[in-house]
Amino acid sequence: MNTIFRKSVLGIAGVAFAGGMVAGPVAAYADTAPVAGKPVAV
């Protein structure tokens, strides 16, 4: 592997890892309960 390719791969892997570290806890605490709605007469 040449140096430029290795740095590019490691940089992309680092960004993906950092994104996962941020998005993981956010997704874990997201509210997944359905919105309660009332039927409406037309």
Side-chain angles (χ1 to χ4, degrees), residues 2-27:
N2 64 15
T3 305
I4 295 173
F5 182 69
R6 182 180 302 160
K7 286 182 180 180
S8 298
V9 169
L10 290 175
I12 292 170
V15 169
F17 179 76
M21 293 300 291
V22 171
V26 171

